[in-house]
């Protein structure tokens, strides 16, 4: 892009918008990634209750060792920028390219939006529930759609507090007409997160540009997140300004960000996404042939499979293959689950075959 000199343009740099992070205050902070690239999260598995016996041994029941599941979270995004401000160009532009201002614009218009969009899309792909809507939201049905989602989460025993509804501006324009929506002006004493414009059924409503909740043109109408179900680790957030570094007469502005976003598998029911119809990847078909398990989901970028009944999206024991791929198993009985991921669609529902016999 050309350098625009001051005789053609106004002194002040045009800044399209200045949007701060809408995800940072919503994600859970209970896990520490500092110093490591990945984190293994162990989740205890509860046991069913027994009838108490009033005589004999083991009156409380046969002791069983506590079991757990493991989720391996690997931080993968490593992004950066490097900008120079030549002293000669800056002087001919009346010094409008102040380094700190350029850095602020880079953060507001590039770094923060990228991290927020990435996190929201990741939350959708790993949501406990991805609901394909039968029709687009309208003034007549949007309240029921969100209400049904909140009720669904409640029945999954997700706590009613610390819920956040991320919704695109196009759909929020309909929601705000509802009597159940309470605007910010009536919540002056409430501690609202960045971007919150009010509440609905006790959850803070956070507006985002429509494309924050889209995946290659596929729409998510809204996303409901329980705070303790999601993470957005930012291991490195380095940005600095160097005056007259070697080889440059002027300023050098550089930044680096190592980050990612995760849904905690054991708490995935705390994430609910309402998406447009026919926007999810096909559920994997599972077939058993001899000692091989074959999985198929046309167009899938990858398929994750578990044979122990655990959720393949989060399990540390999952196998990974592509559509039509297979895994070989020893003789035995298995509970097989598979999920398919795609570049052009939201993650599939989980396919399952219980008590599969491998010869």
């Amino acid at each position: 892009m050309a350098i625009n000199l001051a005789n053609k343009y106004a002194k002040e740099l045009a800044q399209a918008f200045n949007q701060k992070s809408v995800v940072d205050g919503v994600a859970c902070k209970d896990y520490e990634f500092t110093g490591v690239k990945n984190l293994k999260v162990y989740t205890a598995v509860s046991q069913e209750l027994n009838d108490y016996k009033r005589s004999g041994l083991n009156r409380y029941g046969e002791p069983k060792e506590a079991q757990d599941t493991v989720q391996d979270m690997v931080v993968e995004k490593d992004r950066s920028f490097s900008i120079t401000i030549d002293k000669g160009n800056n002087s001919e532009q009346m010094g409008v390219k102040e380094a700190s201002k350029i850095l602020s614009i880079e953060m507001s218009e590039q770094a923060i939006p990228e991290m927020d969009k990435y996190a929201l899309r990741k939350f959708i792909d790993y949501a406990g529930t991805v609901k394909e809507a039968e029709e687009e939201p309208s003034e007549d049905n949007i309240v029921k759609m969100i209400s049904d989602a909140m009720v669904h989460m409640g029945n999954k025993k997700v706590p009613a507090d610390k819920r956040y509804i991320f919704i695109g501006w196009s759909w929020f324009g309909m929601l705000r007409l509802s009597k159940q929506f309470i605007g910010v002006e009536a919540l002056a004493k409430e501690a609202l997160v960045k971007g919150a414009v009010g509440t609905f059924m006790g959850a803070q409503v956070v507006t985002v540009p429509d494309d924050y909740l889209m995946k290659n043109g596929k729409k998510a109408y809204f996303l409901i997140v329980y705070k303790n179900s999601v993470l957005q680790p930012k291991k490195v957030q380095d940005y600095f300004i160097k005056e007259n570094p070697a080889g440059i007469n002027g300023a050098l502005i550089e930044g680096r960000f190592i980050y990612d976003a995760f849904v905690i598998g054991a708490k995935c029911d705390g994430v609910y996404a309402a998406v447009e119809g026919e926007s999810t990847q096909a559920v994997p078909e599972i077939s058993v042939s001899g000692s091989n398990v074959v999985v198929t989901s046309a167009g899938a970028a990858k398929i994750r499979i578990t044979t122990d009944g655990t959720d393949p999206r989060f399990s540390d024991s999952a196998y990974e293959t592509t559509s039509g791929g297979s895994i070989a198993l020893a003789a035995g009985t298995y509970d097989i689950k598979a999920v398919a991921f795609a570049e052009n669609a939201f993650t599939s529902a989980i396919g399952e075959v219980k008590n599969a016999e491998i010869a």
Side-chain angles (χ1 to χ4, degrees):
M1 184 177 293
I3 300 293
N4 299 314
L5 300 182
N7 62 339
K8 288 187 178 180
Y9 293 89
K11 180 176 180 179
E12 294 299 321
L13 286 171
Q15 185 172 353
F17 54 85
N18 183 14
Q19 182 154 318
K20 302 301 183 182
S21 175
V22 296
V23 175
D24 188 65
V26 171
C28 177
K29 306 291 185 183
D30 292 344
Y31 299 89
E32 183 59 67
F33 281 76
T34 302
V36 294
K37 184 177 176 61
N38 66 310
L39 175 71
K40 287 185 181 292
V41 176
Y42 294 85
T43 303
V45 177
S46 61
Q47 296 184 12
E48 294 183 358
L49 298 181
N50 307 295
D51 289 330
Y52 182 80
K53 300 175 183 178
R54 297 195 177 194
S55 62
L57 300 176
N58 296 328
R59 298 188 182 189
Y60 290 89
E62 186 69 27
K64 299 177 183 178
E65 183 66 18
Q67 301 296 304
D68 56 66
T69 60
V70 184
Q71 181 179 352
D72 192 9
M73 301 179 182
V74 182
V75 178
E76 296 182 341
K77 300 295 286 186
D78 193 345
R79 305 281 281 164
S80 62
F81 66 83
S82 183
I83 304 169
T84 61
I85 302 177
D86 181 78
K87 187 173 291 186
N89 287 329
N90 198 25
S91 66
E92 293 172 12
Q93 293 177 296
M94 303 179 190
V96 299
K97 288 184 177 176
E98 180 183 340
S100 60
K101 182 183 292 186
I102 295 295
L103 175 57
S104 176
I105 292 172
E106 181 69 17
M107 292 295 297
S108 299
E109 298 186 4
Q110 297 296 330
I112 292 173
E114 177 183 299
M115 286 187 271
D116 278 357
K117 284 189 283 188
Y118 177 84
L120 293 173
R121 292 168 183 173
K122 194 84 174 282
F123 296 162
I124 295 170
D125 267 337
Y126 287 83
T129 300
V130 179
K131 173 69 173 178
E132 286 194 357
E134 296 179 359
E135 56 185 344
E136 280 202 350
S138 66
E139 293 179 15
D140 296 326
N141 66 17
I142 191 166
V143 167
K144 185 178 187 307
M145 289 175 67
I146 298 178
S147 177
D148 287 349
M150 294 285 278
V151 170
H152 174 85
M153 293 174 71
N155 285 330
K156 290 289 187 178
K157 302 179 177 61
V158 178
D161 64 338
K162 299 180 182 178
R163 293 189 193 181
Y164 302 89
I165 303 170
F166 291 95
I167 187 168
W169 274 102
S170 293
W171 320 117
F172 171 68
M174 301 169 186
L175 176 63
R176 68 179 295 275
L177 300 176
S178 163
K179 293 180 180 179
Q180 289 91 337
F181 174 76
I182 303 175
V184 168
E185 63 275 4
L187 299 168
K189 296 182 180 180
E190 296 286 337
L192 299 177
V193 298
K194 179 69 67 175
V197 292
T199 67
F200 177 82
M201 293 181 67
Q204 293 192 32
V205 177
V206 182
T207 52
V208 295
D210 291 356
D211 70 318
Y212 275 38
L213 300 178
M214 296 176 67
K215 184 175 183 179
N216 288 331
K218 300 293 195 320
K219 302 173 187 174
Y221 301 129
F222 60 84
L223 169 71
I224 305 178
V225 170
Y226 170 59
K227 186 180 183 73
N228 292 341
S229 293
V230 296
L231 303 175
Q232 190 195 30
K234 298 173 182 175
K235 286 188 56 185
V236 173
Q237 291 189 86
D238 284 343
Y239 32 90
F240 46 82
I241 300 170
K242 295 180 180 179
E243 292 291 340
N244 298 315
I248 297 173
N249 180 221
L252 173 65
I253 309 168
E254 292 185 318
R256 184 185 182 192
F257 312 92
I258 300 179
Y259 70 94
D260 218 304
F262 304 97
V263 171
I264 299 173
K267 301 178 180 180
C268 69
D269 285 330
V271 185
Y272 182 109
V275 302
E276 67 176 313
E278 299 183 355
S279 63
T280 58
Q281 178 63 22
V283 179
E285 295 181 2
I286 303 170
S287 60
V288 177
S289 177
S291 62
N292 291 321
V293 175
V294 182
V295 290
T296 305
S297 177
K302 67 177 180 182
I303 299 177
R304 287 175 60 85
I305 312 164
T306 55
T307 59
D308 54 5
T310 55
D311 192 322
R313 295 171 301 174
F314 310 109
S315 177
D316 197 42
S317 64
Y319 301 88
E320 193 167 299
T321 186
T322 55
S323 182
S326 64
I327 58 172
L329 298 175
T333 303
Y334 299 88
D335 289 335
I336 303 170
K337 291 185 177 181
V339 65
F341 297 85
E343 297 294 333
N344 299 313
F346 296 114
T347 303
S348 75
I350 295 174
E352 182 176 10
V353 173
K354 292 185 176 181
N355 300 319
E357 295 289 343
I358 302 296

